[in-house]
Amino acid sequence: MSIGPTVRRMLGPVEAPISSAYRSMFINVGQLGEAMTALPFGSRVLEVGVGDGMIASQLTTRRLDVTVLGIDLAENPGSLFEGDATRAQFRTVSTSDLLAEKPEPFDAIVIADVLHHVPPAIRPSLLSDVSALLADDGVLLVKETVVVSSPGYWMGKFSDRYITGDRNVSFLREDDLHQLISDNVPGLVASGRSTIKPWKTNLLLVWRRSGS
Ligand SMILES: C[S@@+](CC[C@H](N)C(=O)[O-])C[C@H]1O[C@@H](n2cnc3c(N)ncnc32)[C@H](O)[C@@H]1O
């Protein structure tokens, strides 16, 4: 969850602590970072829909060998990144334009709270780009706010619609998320599932691509 751009502009220098406090009502970012780095993966990480860079901060702080490329369609991605800036790069570029640059495949790809902002008709092409960008033995980490009966889900939905201002958010059930990923990113083996405090709507799914 993130606060909307208008509120951000008004906050100025206190944006970072207020964003962090606001976000803590929805998710324990430290626990998410810990869960994301529990499974080993190589050092080249792509984060799709990196937003303000809070998750990229977690990854680079917890894994001192990791470099993160954070991409987003929005301007100024990574604006609240904290950590070793030599190991993080942020770009406004789509997955398809990044793919056209033919980068070396990534050891891990993170997609955190992005899919519910992507129109359902476009999700397959986004994930097909992700599939092409992921190494043969790469790890895919997807954090989503899934549909469950929980105050956290309703809070997240309200925040996305009325604070972030995306009236078109469309959330997935866990089964549908599994299906969406397996339909569009072949060769994955489920390797982890955790829910992140304080709400059971915060689901992290991890897959490793089997090179064989
Ligand atoms: C709720 S924010 C999550 C940011 C970050 N992943 C985090 O968890 O802190 C969702 C982000 O996804 C981005 N986004 C939406 N559709 C996208 C797409 N097709 N490709 C890349 N980024 C996208 C939005 O611009 C926004 O920054």
Side-chain angles (χ1 to χ4, degrees):
M1 297 314 122
S2 58
I3 51 178
T6 310
V7 180
R8 280 171 184 275
R9 274 193 298 278
M10 286 161 52
L11 291 174
V14 291
E15 181 189 347
I18 289 185
S19 282
S20 174
Y22 180 71
R23 192 161 189 179
S24 69
M25 294 194 295
F26 298 93
I27 190 163
N28 182 326
V29 177
Q31 191 198 348
L32 177 61
E34 191 179 342
M36 282 185 159
T37 50
L39 191 78
F41 49 77
S43 62
R44 294 187 71 253
V45 177
L46 172 68
E47 185 179 350
V48 175
V50 68
D52 53 28
M54 282 190 183
I55 289 173
S57 302
Q58 285 289 324
L59 294 171
T60 52
T61 304
R62 290 170 184 278
R63 282 276 310 267
L64 298 181
D65 60 321
V66 149
T67 60
V68 175
L69 170 62
I71 65 168
D72 206 294
L73 299 181
E75 293 299 320
N76 203 21
S79 59
L80 298 184
F81 174 80
E82 289 176 345
D84 180 355
T86 64
R87 292 188 288 117
Q89 187 193 3
F90 299 100
R91 294 178 58 193
T92 299
V93 63
S94 67
T95 50
S96 54
D97 285 348
L98 179 66
L99 189 56
E101 295 173 13
K102 297 188 170 44
E104 189 184 325
F106 291 88
D107 299 316
I109 299 184
V110 174
I111 311 173
D113 279 325
V114 174
L115 291 173
H116 60 266
H117 290 283
V118 178
I122 294 172
R123 289 172 190 163
S125 66
L126 173 80
L127 290 168
S128 145
D129 292 342
V130 164
S131 177
L133 289 160
L134 185 66
D136 286 348
D137 58 351
V139 169
L140 177 63
L141 304 106
V142 177
K143 191 278 158 182
E144 261 300 311
T145 301
V146 289
V147 179
V148 286
S149 175
S150 155
Y153 169 64
W154 294 108
M155 284 165 59
K157 191 169 176 176
F158 179 87
S159 171
D160 275 334
R161 289 222 167 127
Y162 301 108
I163 310 292
T164 307
D166 182 355
R167 299 293 165 100
N168 298 315
V169 280
S170 147
F171 294 87
L172 291 136
R173 293 177 186 281
E174 181 173 353
D175 285 357
D176 297 328
L177 178 58
H178 275 283
Q179 194 67 53
L180 179 69
I181 300 293
S182 63
D183 283 351
N184 294 288
V185 190
L188 295 179
V189 177
S191 305
R193 176 194 185 279
S194 22
T195 51
I196 310 297
K197 289 178 180 173
W199 306 111
K200 63 183 178 183
T201 187
N202 292 320
L203 179 67
L204 173 67
L205 296 174
V206 185
W207 295 263
R208 186 179 290 283
R209 183 175 258 170
S210 159
S212 56

